């Protein structure tokens, strides 16, 4: 599949995006202190399968990696991404990033949301707010005739002026009949640099932002990515489609936020785009 999707392909991707958003909302109902993260994984897997789709991450592998064993990536506190669900039970004050992928009718959906468990510390709220805003700013920078660097620059600038660490070792990506397609969408960049964006591109924009260093380390399991200094990390991800005058967000957090209060604060004065 090329980078430019047809109207029919975009319609199918919109369905996959909608299912992944609904799945995260189903999970959201069950995020509370005392919840075992493996239970969240089972809830997501059953929900996806009952909607005629398959979990996209389960069995996903790279040449140097064992296949990812779960439906969700559940990344608590200093875990940036790719955390394993397991026997850990959520605690009041935890930051929990949940990333979900689905494969429906041959097309992938991919979205992530960072939840707060109970009340969060002011620093965790600040981190979630900056990361959510960075996602919105990155999406606002995405338009035909713009570039991949425009997206990265918008995200990087917003976070770095606040002293936050922008993770560079992991990036956003194109999406379609493959989970990860070209182009890569780094969360850093220079304005007007990098590949030109064109109408019909479908992209995952996904800032991964740390309260401390931007450096990350990987656990012995080969998957779990943590901030190198143990600082907290947040991750929000939307699928977008470049259209004739900007972009359309294919995923949504609206379903999630029918069940939980967002861990970020809405800033009325921030101008997007
Ligand atoms: Mg994802
Ligand atoms: Mg992704």
């Amino acid at each position: 599949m090329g980078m430019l999707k047809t109207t029919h392909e975009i319609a199918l991707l919109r369905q996959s995006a909608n299912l992944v958003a609904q799945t995260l909302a189903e999970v959201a109902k069950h995020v509370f202190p005392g919840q075992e993260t493996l239970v969240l994984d089972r809830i997501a897997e059953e929900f996806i399968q009952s909607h005629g789709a398959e979990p996209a991450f389960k069995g996903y592998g790279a040449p140097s990696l064992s296949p990812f064993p779960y439906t969700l990536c559940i990344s608590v506190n200093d875990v940036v991404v790719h955390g394993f669900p397991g026997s850990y039970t959520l605690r009041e004050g935890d930051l929990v990033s949940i990333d979900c992928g689905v494969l429906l009718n041959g097309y992938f959906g991919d979205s992530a949301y960072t939840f707060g468990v109970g009340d969060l510390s002011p620093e965790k709220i600040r981190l979630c707010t900056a990361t959510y805003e960075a996602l919105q700013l990155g999406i606002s920078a995405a338009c035909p005739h713009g570039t991949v660097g425009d997206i990265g620059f918008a995200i990087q600038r917003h976070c770095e002026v606040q002293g936050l660490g922008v993770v560079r070792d992991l990036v956003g990506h194109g999406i379609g009949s493959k989970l990860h397609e070209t182009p890569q969408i780094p969360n850093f960049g220079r304005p007007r640099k990098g590949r030109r964006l064109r109408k019909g591109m479908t992209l995952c924009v996904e800032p991964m932002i740390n309260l401390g260093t931007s450096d990350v380390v990987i656990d012995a399991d080969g998957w779990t990515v943590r901030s190198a200094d143990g600082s907290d990390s947040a991750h929000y991800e939307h699928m977008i489609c470049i259209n004739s005058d900007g972009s359309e967000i294919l995923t949504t957090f609206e379903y999630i936020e029918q069940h939980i209060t967002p861990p970020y604060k809405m800033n009325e004065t921030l101008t997007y785009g």
Side-chain angles (χ1 to χ4, degrees), residues 57-76:
F57 300 162
K58 199 168 191 171
Y60 184 91
S64 59
L65 275 173
S66 57
F68 190 81
Y70 300 101
T71 292
L72 298 176
C73 299
I74 302 185
S75 305
V76 180

Side-chain angles (χ1 to χ4, degrees), residues 125-149:
I125 293 170
R126 183 171 82 89
L127 173 65
C128 289
T129 301
T131 308
Y132 176 80
E133 289 173 349
L135 172 64
Q136 303 302 325
L137 289 165
I139 291 170
S140 294
C143 62
H145 313 301
T147 69
V148 164

Side-chain angles (χ1 to χ4, degrees), residues 2-247:
M3 273 192 285
L4 306 185
K5 272 61 176 182
T6 64
T7 305
H8 177 63
E9 289 171 325
I10 292 164
L12 290 167
L13 282 159
R14 199 178 280 112
Q15 289 179 18
S16 302
N18 195 60
L19 179 58
V20 82
Q22 288 182 43
T23 306
L24 284 171
E26 187 63 27
V27 171
K29 295 179 194 171
H30 302 274
V31 172
F32 45 73
Q35 178 67 277
E36 189 181 339
T37 57
L38 194 60
V39 172
L40 300 177
D41 195 70
R42 287 205 202 99
I43 289 166
E45 183 163 319
E46 283 168 20
F47 188 86
I48 291 165
Q49 289 171 342
S50 73
H51 287 77
E54 297 164 38
F57 300 162
K58 199 168 191 171
Y60 184 91
S64 59
L65 275 173
S66 57
F68 190 81
Y70 300 101
T71 292
L72 298 176
C73 299
I74 302 185
S75 305
V76 180
N77 295 330
D78 67 318
V79 180
V80 178
V81 286
H82 304 164
F84 284 5
S87 59
Y88 180 81
T89 55
L90 299 176
R91 295 178 198 173
E92 178 93 18
D94 277 348
L95 209 53
V96 188
S97 300
I98 301 185
D99 197 347
C100 182
V102 303
L103 176 60
L104 176 65
N105 300 320
Y107 289 82
F108 285 92
D110 184 10
S111 181
Y113 191 93
T114 297
F115 296 85
V117 182
D119 290 333
L120 292 181
S121 69
E123 278 295 88
K124 286 181 174 177
I125 293 170
R126 183 171 82 89
L127 173 65
C128 289
T129 301
T131 308
Y132 176 80
E133 289 173 349
L135 172 64
Q136 303 302 325
L137 289 165
I139 291 170
S140 294
C143 62
H145 313 301
T147 69
V148 164
D150 293 339
I151 298 174
F153 177 72
I155 293 168
Q156 179 183 11
R157 179 179 54 178
H158 185 67
C159 295
E160 288 186 347
V161 296
Q162 299 181 57
L164 300 169
V166 176
V167 174
R168 291 168 177 255
D169 291 10
L170 299 128
V171 296
H173 50 92
I175 188 167
S177 60
K178 287 190 276 186
L179 178 59
H180 297 128
E181 298 186 353
T182 49
Q184 291 194 341
I185 311 292
N187 295 306
F188 56 92
R190 305 303 304 162
R192 297 179 298 284
K193 300 291 186 188
R195 190 188 288 272
R196 192 154 292 282
L197 301 174
R198 293 178 62 195
K199 181 183 174 187
M201 282 182 168
T202 46
L203 309 171
C204 288
V205 180
E206 48 178 317
M208 288 153 265
I209 308 297
N210 299 343
L211 263 177
T213 180
S214 59
D215 294 341
V216 296
V217 292
I218 299 176
D219 281 2
D221 63 25
W223 282 102
T224 307
V225 178
R226 292 178 193 272
S227 64
D229 60 0
S231 63
D232 290 314
S233 189
H235 179 209
Y236 291 96
E237 175 180 19
H238 272 317
M239 284 170 66
I240 68 170
C241 179
I242 305 297
N243 59 23
S244 43
D245 59 355
S247 68

